[in-house]
Amino acid sequence: MFPYDSCDLTQDLRRLGVEAGDILFVHSSFKSLGPVEGGAESVIQAMEDAIGPEGLLLMPSFNLIKWELRPETWDINSTPSTVGWITERFRQLPGVYRSDHYSHSVAARGRGAKAFVGGHLRDEGYGSHWDRKPWGKTFGLHSPMYRAYQAGGKLLMLGVDYYTSTYVHLVEAMYWHTLRAQSRDTEREPAFPALDRVRLGAFWDRFGGPQHGRVGDADCRLFGIRGYVDALLAEVEKDPRPYLR
């Protein structure tokens, strides 16, 4: 089999529905693509060619090592991304900016990248059990993931399943906000909800949210972040029991 090049992958991304000017948040598995000429950098180039110079590419650059070690190992410039080779290579490239969060940082390159990831130390918005001083709200109003939700971004799941979908954590934070507002117990707040990402993903597939296609050898999904988060939140608020872990 001949390896795919960046042009092949760009064409596949466009067929899937990636468009010029998109804000594109990517969960990825490099090995799912099959052989790629030029490796991870060719994949990144294909994504940036698909969204064009007016687009913004976002990737998780999470520090998901043992929980208690995350704060002491965090350095915005040197701590590796633990969520795949594409994300780690992206983090290292010139012109990539990274948000300052000890656990759930996001890397960005493209139009307005520096400002887009620059507010993660701020403390406004939805709380979660990942929040820890001196860092701001993990999924708060100034976090890159919330900003991509607000800005109409798209989520590309490249060769991965819904277990990787960190946006369910934003749903959890939003749902927890609702539970806390509704609670009549002034001495004890509700427990932070843990939602099953795979079950919610199955609901989303039945709901008809994603576009499906292949990029290289990888089975992929592409969908709007806001539609996804809002649909999942409405489903959980209607009856959380099928989705609680």
Side-chain angles (χ1 to χ4, degrees):
M1 179 185 293
F2 292 104
Y4 299 102
D5 62 23
S6 64
C7 292
D8 298 324
L9 301 180
T10 298
Q11 291 173 359
D12 288 348
L13 288 164
R14 287 175 174 158
R15 278 192 290 267
L16 183 62
V18 177
E19 298 174 306
D22 277 348
I23 297 171
L24 188 66
F25 191 101
V26 182
H27 290 299
S28 58
S29 164
F30 178 65
K31 67 180 181 181
S32 71
L33 289 158
V36 177
E37 182 180 332
E41 287 191 44
S42 288
V43 182
I44 296 163
Q45 184 63 58
M47 294 173 185
E48 293 186 323
D49 287 346
I51 63 177
E54 296 299 303
L56 176 64
L57 183 60
L58 302 168
M59 293 191 196
S61 59
F62 300 162
N63 179 31
L64 301 185
I65 61 171
K66 196 172 182 179
W67 169 254
E68 59 268 24
L69 297 179
R70 295 179 194 182
E72 64 188 67
T73 60
W74 173 247
D75 182 282
I76 191 172
N77 296 311
S78 62
T79 300
S81 170
T82 62
V83 286
W85 172 234
I86 296 174
T87 68
E88 172 60 4
R89 188 69 195 103
F90 183 62
R91 178 191 72 81
Q92 299 169 354
L93 293 176
V96 171
Y97 297 92
R98 191 183 197 185
S99 72
D100 193 355
H101 191 275
Y102 75 98
S103 178
H104 286 77
S105 69
V106 173
R109 187 162 74 172
R111 185 180 184 187
K114 184 177 182 179
F116 203 91
V117 299
H120 215 161
L121 287 172
R122 297 178 65 178
D123 205 34
E124 295 86 15
Y126 301 105
S128 75
H129 63 189
W130 294 278
D131 299 344
R132 185 165 182 162
K133 299 293 184 183
W135 297 278
K137 292 287 195 297
T138 310
F139 299 101
L141 301 184
H142 306 287
S143 67
M145 291 184 67
Y146 186 81
R147 285 177 170 173
Y149 162 85
Q150 282 286 79
K154 295 177 180 177
L155 180 58
L156 171 63
M157 304 184 71
L158 194 156
V160 296
D161 62 20
Y162 283 108
Y163 185 76
T164 68
S165 182
T166 312
Y167 265 97
V168 170
H169 291 330
L170 176 58
V171 178
E172 291 169 339
M174 290 175 161
Y175 183 49
W176 194 43
H177 178 80
T178 299
L179 292 176
R180 293 164 81 188
Q182 293 173 345
S183 176
R184 297 181 180 179
D185 190 338
T186 57
E187 297 183 0
R188 185 175 60 183
E189 65 181 16
F192 189 80
L195 299 175
D196 191 304
R197 289 172 280 188
V198 175
R199 290 181 184 174
L200 283 168
F203 159 75
W204 180 239
D205 279 341
R206 294 193 303 272
F207 192 82
Q211 297 165 259
H212 295 265
R214 290 174 76 86
V215 177
D217 291 343
D219 292 321
C220 300
R221 294 177 175 92
L222 179 74
F223 47 86
I225 294 169
R226 189 169 194 122
Y228 175 61
V229 170
D230 289 352
L232 267 55
L233 181 61
E235 176 71 2
V236 170
E237 288 182 335
K238 185 172 65 177
D239 183 5
R241 289 170 296 179
Y243 306 108
L244 291 173
R245 292 192 281 114

